[in-house]
């Protein structure tokens, strides 16, 4: 039996500065299966399907919302989907379901195996490189990765 829902990633988005309402966004998919986005009511845990990316097949392993802008970002799973092979950073338009491929997550050493991403309070983006065991900062405009430490395992 195939499992369509391989993971659920959540990102909190502030959707109204007046009401200070919070919305959770989840995604199913992964391992090459296209992700479906859901809006989740934090009070009731009811999930409402938003849909797939309207511009192709994207499979996500992580989601995070930029607290400075409210923009939603994701990391693709690395399978050969419309973002191409390797891990890519995508910006997600929730109103349009358009996934914009920012680019492959690359450092000076080459591509990295980012498994998840997160923002700090000022809007700085970070990824965890699961193959090199280090935390890295990411340029949101180019997807260029800068390791914060050279050696991860000790």
């Amino acid at each position: 039996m195939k499992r369509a829902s391989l993971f659920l990633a959540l990102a909190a988005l502030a959707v109204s500065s007046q009401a200070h309402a919070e919305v959770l966004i989840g995604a199913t998919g992964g391992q090459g299966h296209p992700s479906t986005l859901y809006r989740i009511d934090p009070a009731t845990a009811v999930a409402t399907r938003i849909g797939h990316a309207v511009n192709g097949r994207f499979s996500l392993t992580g989601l995070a919302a930029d607290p400075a802008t409210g923009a939603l970002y994701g990391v693709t799973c690395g399978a050969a989907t419309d973002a191409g092979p390797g891990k890519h950073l995508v910006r997600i338009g929730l109103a349009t379901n358009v996934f914009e491929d920012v680019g492959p997550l690359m450092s000076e050493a080459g591509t990295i195996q980012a498994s998840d991403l997160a923002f700090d309070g000022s809007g700085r983006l970070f990824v965890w490189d699961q193959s090199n065991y280090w935390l890295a900062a990411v340029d949101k405009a180019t997807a260029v990765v800068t390791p914060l430490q050279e050696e991860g395992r000790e």
Side-chain angles (χ1 to χ4, degrees):
M1 180 173 149
K2 291 185 179 179
R3 295 172 81 165
S5 297
L6 300 173
F7 85 103
L8 179 64
L10 298 176
L13 289 175
V15 295
S16 171
S17 59
Q18 292 176 332
H20 300 289
E22 199 172 71
V23 174
L24 298 176
I25 302 298
T28 60
Q31 298 182 350
H33 299 282
S35 292
T36 301
L37 296 175
Y38 294 87
R39 187 175 326 282
I40 303 165
D41 183 325
T44 64
V46 172
T48 305
R49 186 177 186 273
I50 297 171
H52 295 293
V54 297
N55 57 325
R57 292 175 38 96
F58 290 88
S59 183
L60 302 173
T61 62
L63 290 172
D66 184 338
T69 66
L72 185 64
Y73 288 82
V75 173
T76 63
C77 76
T81 61
D82 284 355
K87 302 284 188 160
H88 282 240
L89 180 67
V90 293
R91 191 172 13 259
I92 302 166
L94 288 177
T96 60
N97 280 2
V98 171
F99 284 42
E100 175 190 349
D101 182 16
V102 177
L105 289 162
M106 306 230 2
S107 70
E108 288 182 3
T111 59
I112 68 163
Q113 293 300 311
S115 57
D116 208 351
L117 67 164
F119 283 92
D120 67 10
S122 66
R124 188 170 171 201
L125 181 59
F126 299 91
V127 294
W128 176 254
D129 182 347
Q130 62 192 22
S131 60
N132 293 309
Y133 299 99
W134 42 251
L135 184 66
V138 180
D139 183 315
K140 295 180 285 190
T142 64
V144 171
V145 174
T146 304
L148 298 179
Q149 63 187 52
E150 292 302 318
E151 298 291 326
R153 273 198 244 193
E154 296 192 24

